[in-house]
Amino acid sequence: MTDPVSDLRALLEVEEIDTDLFRGAPAAEGPGRVFGGQVVAQALAAAARDINGGGGERAERQCHSLHAYFLRAGDTTRPIIYQVLRDFDGGSFANRRVVALQGGRPILNLAASFHRRESGFAHAAPMPQVPGPEQCPEMVAALAAAGQKFPQTMLDRLAPFEIRPGPPASQKTETPGQFLWFRLIEPMEADDALRRIVLAYASDFALLATAILPHGKGIFQPGIQVASLDHAVWFHSTPRVDDWLLYAMDSPWAGHARGFARGAVYDRAGTLVASVAQEGLCRVVEPRGG
């Protein structure tokens, strides 16, 4: 028997193979497209390794934001090479660009900014009033009750996490939205950098699906083509990823075969720990004639 949390940790701890070059292991799943959250998280891990490897004050900086563009579908059966470019090292901030490569071709470009700890003005939007995780069903049970099935590969990707989706939002609301609670199924010994990397991985869960909620379609239904185009995360603090986190999502716009979705991640105490945004392809594929 494998340990899903240990497997996730191994997946996200990239290997340094040369100066500014890192290798991310392939996920233990069958042939297919690489999960976008995996590529984002491994790219952030490569950037963080480069920052932390500098020692001194640079090692005290934590990623406060990342912006990524998905360029090509990755192959799950092959490792991914991450090339880090050291764009900037200042007194308070440092910036790294990362290019994820397979077969010599870029599959993702990511820019990450790191900030040293300092105090300042503070405010945050309050956590929405929603049922707690104890009042929400386990994900597989919720899907079965709704007559839906996830592909096995997706269930394998989510195996390190306990996920409890909230009840469907009213279709009468002006902005479609949904929420879920998630946490690692067991504690993980992790520093601040790894906790943010795990959150980056999880931030790709269900986000784009929010953009097609009001149209009565699911992302795994026949005739629907959904793919992430870009992804951005702002880290406001370091979360405990082995305790419940609320992921509240909405989609203020969709059009031109694209959908835009936003997410806010709160800890159990109601602290806003991260903000997320993503745009993706949301295309209805017409069946081909015989």
Side-chain angles (χ1 to χ4, degrees):
M1 296 291 290
T2 61
D3 177 356
V5 172
S6 295
D7 290 345
L8 177 65
R9 182 182 188 126
L11 179 69
L12 301 182
E13 290 182 337
V14 296
E15 173 192 5
E16 185 173 8
I17 57 177
D18 205 338
T19 303
D20 298 330
L21 282 177
F22 300 84
R23 176 166 49 214
E29 59 185 63
R33 297 166 61 102
V34 175
F35 172 50
Q38 175 191 328
V39 190
V40 168
Q42 286 182 334
L44 176 58
R49 282 281 297 273
D50 188 81
I51 291 287
N52 294 335
E57 293 183 358
R58 213 172 78 183
E60 298 177 359
R61 297 170 179 164
Q62 294 296 331
C63 180
H64 71 91
S65 69
L66 66 83
H67 300 259
Y69 279 95
F70 298 98
L71 306 177
R72 295 178 176 88
D75 181 352
T76 56
T77 64
R78 303 174 61 187
I80 303 171
I81 302 301
Y82 296 92
Q83 180 181 15
V84 178
L85 293 91
R86 307 183 189 190
D87 283 344
F88 177 71
D89 283 297
S92 298
F93 293 88
N95 188 282
R96 294 293 183 269
R97 270 184 300 150
V98 184
V99 182
L101 301 151
Q102 274 189 333
R105 305 175 73 194
I107 64 171
L108 173 131
N109 287 332
L110 177 142
S113 182
F114 296 78
H115 184 204
R116 67 174 175 83
R117 289 181 175 88
E118 59 181 299
S119 59
F121 298 115
H123 71 271
M127 183 169 72
Q129 298 298 309
V130 299
E134 297 81 6
Q135 286 74 52
C136 297
E138 189 271 337
M139 182 186 66
V140 174
L143 290 171
Q148 300 180 36
K149 282 188 176 181
F150 259 18
Q152 185 59 46
T153 53
M154 182 61 71
L155 293 176
D156 291 342
R157 292 168 187 169
L158 302 180
F161 298 89
E162 181 178 2
I163 300 175
R164 294 179 174 267
S170 170
Q171 297 301 312
K172 297 179 182 179
T173 59
E174 293 182 4
T175 303
Q178 63 177 338
F179 74 90
L180 57 83
W181 292 91
F182 71 94
R183 65 179 177 182
L184 290 174
I185 59 175
E186 62 184 40
M188 172 189 281
E189 290 293 329
D191 58 14
D192 286 358
L194 182 55
R195 287 174 181 161
R196 295 183 187 217
I197 290 164
V198 171
L199 182 56
Y201 180 93
S203 68
D204 200 24
F205 294 171
L207 186 56
L208 192 54
T210 314
I212 60 176
L213 276 178
H215 308 288
K217 300 292 184 181
I219 60 175
F220 300 113
Q221 285 185 233
I224 299 296
Q225 183 181 6
V226 176
S228 301
L229 297 174
D230 61 5
H231 192 77
V233 183
W234 294 264
F235 300 96
H236 310 312
S237 62
T238 301
R240 283 192 56 191
V241 289
D242 51 11
D243 197 3
W244 286 115
L245 295 170
L246 172 68
Y247 198 2
M249 296 162 275
D250 70 356
S251 176
W253 176 88
H256 313 296
R258 303 192 314 276
F260 175 70
R262 304 174 296 195
V265 183
Y266 295 85
D267 66 17
R268 189 67 186 270
T271 302
L272 180 63
V273 299
S275 299
V276 187
Q278 185 178 88
E279 188 178 49
L281 177 70
C282 300
R283 178 183 289 156
V284 177
V285 181
E286 299 296 336
R288 294 183 179 181

